[in-house]
Amino acid sequence: MRIGLVIKRFDPRRGGAEQATFQLAEQLVSRGHEVHVVARRFADQARRLPIVTHPVEQATSRLGFAEAAEARLRWLALDVVHDMGAGWYGDLFQPHGGSSIAVERQKLLSVPSWLRPLKRACDVATPRHRELKRLVERQYADDGRLLVALSRMTARHFQEYHGVDPSRIRLIYNGIDTERFSPEHRGRYRTDVRRQLGVDDATTVLLVVAHNFRLKGVSTLLRAMDRLTARREPVHLVVVGGKPPRRYVRWARRLRLGDRVTFTGAVDDAVPLYAAADVYVHPTFFDNCSLVVLEALAAGLPVITSRFNGAGELLTEGTEGHVLADPANVDELLWRLEPLLDAAHRRPMGEAARRLALNHTMAAHVDQIVNLYDEVARSRGTSARAA
């Protein structure tokens, strides 16, 4: 089957959407499909995949990319076009970042309440917002496309904010590579990485992987670390990813957390850090269906996240971890976190986390995606499974 994937940047190092799209392409190719990717930029890793690349480098704006992608796709004669949230032309629309309206509203929750009206007024007045509004109107238009929601939360947002008929929505959670992310890697990495971090066996290592520190609740984590340090709890926080986190580094220093918090910056491979960690903490203000939470579950880590993370829908409260009602509430975070400082308490949670991840493999995720391709292809007289 000839399948088109549309994403702004085809680069697994950039974020969850890019990583998931890259893995989907790998799986589709391995199943014998002809995969075409339309993107503005392609990572070096794309060269090792037997895919057909269609760069649209001349498009510099969101609308420009969507228009250029449509023009390119129209003459490719593909069986299915699967857009990851960058354009408006295709059979399946899957905004990996979730509803843009929901994202903007949730971002406001991560700033002080007194500042929210001013920030919202400023955001609405920007050219970027006006362009995004025009793009979104085209993306959610009722033109026969199916929409893929990565969580029930996202499906509700499609209906509430964009008026999408529920009959057009298909729910498919993200999948994870449970071989790459596995407790089996602890024997290889754990001792060395913890030595590099300067922590002993008695110290509980907390981990968060994020690019947008404000949106992902790193501020809440630092405030919690301040309180834990004051109580002399043996805890160390590792913050992975993000742009140069100077403001957060300065904040950690002001709180005198210098030797209790490690900012690694972006890393090529987070597997060794999952192996070194004891608890994954992700008090996010918004995540469609966080891949890093699934990675942590697969690595056998208890997880603390928030109700604003679609991946939290997969957790059974108190079994694989906890789901916070308010990602800004330090007291709630500490209430859930403190019992997990005990290795005996977190061990069964980590085992349950691994079992849960095994029900959400990347292969199972792609099976569901291919079922949707079949649904589209049947109307064209072809079959995705005949590839």
Side-chain angles (χ1 to χ4, degrees):
M1 193 176 198
R2 289 164 54 85
I3 300 167
L5 305 179
V6 183
I7 190 166
K8 190 175 293 183
R9 297 177 180 86
F10 192 66
D11 183 349
R13 300 167 301 177
R14 290 194 61 89
E18 293 82 2
Q19 183 181 93
T21 305
F22 195 90
Q23 291 175 349
L24 174 60
E26 287 181 312
Q27 287 268 334
L28 292 173
V29 166
S30 72
R31 297 181 186 207
H33 299 289
E34 180 180 316
V35 177
H36 295 249
V37 179
V38 177
R40 183 186 295 174
R41 296 284 186 274
F42 289 85
D44 291 340
Q45 294 101 309
R47 298 194 183 107
R48 66 178 174 83
L49 287 181
I51 62 174
V52 184
T53 61
H54 301 276
V56 286
E57 298 176 353
Q58 74 279 9
T60 57
S61 67
R62 287 183 173 88
L63 291 175
F65 176 81
E67 291 169 350
E70 178 181 7
R72 184 65 59 91
L73 289 162
R74 282 189 178 278
W75 62 263
L76 289 180
L78 301 170
D79 297 307
V80 175
V81 175
H82 185 171
D83 190 294
M84 303 301 174
W88 54 51
Y89 177 83
D91 304 288
L92 300 176
F93 181 62
Q94 181 181 343
H96 272 274
S99 160
S100 57
I101 295 177
V103 173
E104 292 304 314
R105 295 193 178 192
Q106 290 303 122
K107 280 182 177 179
L108 290 175
L109 297 181
S110 66
V111 302
S113 57
W114 61 268
L115 185 58
R116 291 171 193 170
L118 177 60
K119 179 167 176 42
R120 179 169 176 76
C122 292
D123 288 345
V124 170
T126 62
R128 173 186 174 277
H129 179 85
R130 292 192 294 272
E131 180 190 42
L132 184 60
K133 183 178 179 180
R134 290 174 58 196
L135 176 66
V136 167
E137 287 173 352
R138 293 285 300 272
Q139 289 177 328
Y140 290 90
D142 188 358
D143 58 3
R145 275 175 298 168
L146 297 177
L147 279 78
V148 180
L150 292 175
S151 62
R152 292 193 300 272
M153 176 187 73
T154 303
R156 291 194 302 271
H157 291 162
F158 288 168
Q159 297 171 66
E160 179 180 352
Y161 297 132
H162 305 284
V164 176
D165 190 300
S167 65
R168 296 175 55 208
I169 301 172
R170 303 292 184 272
L171 173 63
I172 300 178
Y173 289 101
N174 270 324
I176 193 66
D177 183 342
T178 53
E179 293 185 5
R180 181 184 175 201
F181 299 97
S182 168
E184 298 298 322
H185 298 308
R186 291 175 186 167
R188 177 180 179 185
Y189 295 114
R190 186 175 177 85
T191 299
D192 288 345
V193 174
R194 289 174 73 93
R195 184 182 299 117
Q196 293 168 17
L197 294 172
V199 300
D200 57 24
D201 291 341
T203 299
T204 301
V205 174
L206 312 179
L207 176 67
V208 62
V209 181
H211 289 289
N212 186 331
F213 285 4
R214 180 163 63 85
L215 188 65
K216 307 305 179 179
V218 173
S219 298
T220 307
L221 265 172
L222 289 178
R223 292 197 294 270
M225 282 295 298
D226 183 36
R227 305 238 310 248
L228 290 170
T229 300
R231 300 174 195 174
R232 299 185 182 277
E233 296 283 1
V235 181
H236 192 96
L237 171 64
V238 179
V239 183
V240 179
K243 297 175 181 178
R246 295 186 184 90
R247 181 166 69 90
Y248 289 87
V249 172
R250 289 196 296 267
W251 188 10
R253 287 173 180 166
R254 285 198 300 271
L255 294 174
R256 298 181 181 178
L257 298 175
D259 61 345
R260 295 295 191 100
V261 179
T262 299
F263 293 92
T264 69
V267 299
D268 290 332
D269 184 9
V271 167
L273 291 164
Y274 286 115
D278 298 300
V279 183
Y280 187 82
V281 191
H282 198 81
T284 181
F285 289 89
F286 185 84
D287 264 293
N288 194 11
C289 182
S290 173
L291 274 177
V292 289
V293 163
L294 292 178
E295 292 171 0
L297 292 170
L301 296 179
V303 166
I304 299 176
T305 189
S306 82
R307 66 186 178 96
F308 300 123
N309 184 354
E313 299 170 7
L314 303 175
L315 301 180
T316 299
E317 177 60 36
T319 300
E320 303 90 7
H322 300 286
V323 178
L324 306 174
D326 181 2
N329 189 325
V330 179
D331 289 330
E332 184 185 13
L333 175 57
L334 288 172
W335 174 49
R336 294 305 191 186
L337 178 58
E338 285 171 337
L340 293 174
L341 302 183
D342 179 0
H345 184 87
R346 64 178 178 258
R347 187 174 299 113
M349 278 192 174
E351 294 169 352
R354 175 64 180 178
R355 290 194 296 271
L356 175 60
L358 290 174
N359 292 327
H360 296 277
T361 64
M362 187 64 188
H365 170 82
V366 176
D367 284 343
Q368 295 178 76
I369 293 293
V370 171
N371 284 339
L372 282 189
Y373 293 168
D374 273 333
E375 186 177 340
V376 171
R378 278 193 295 270
S379 67
R380 302 182 179 183
T382 60
S383 172
R385 300 197 183 278

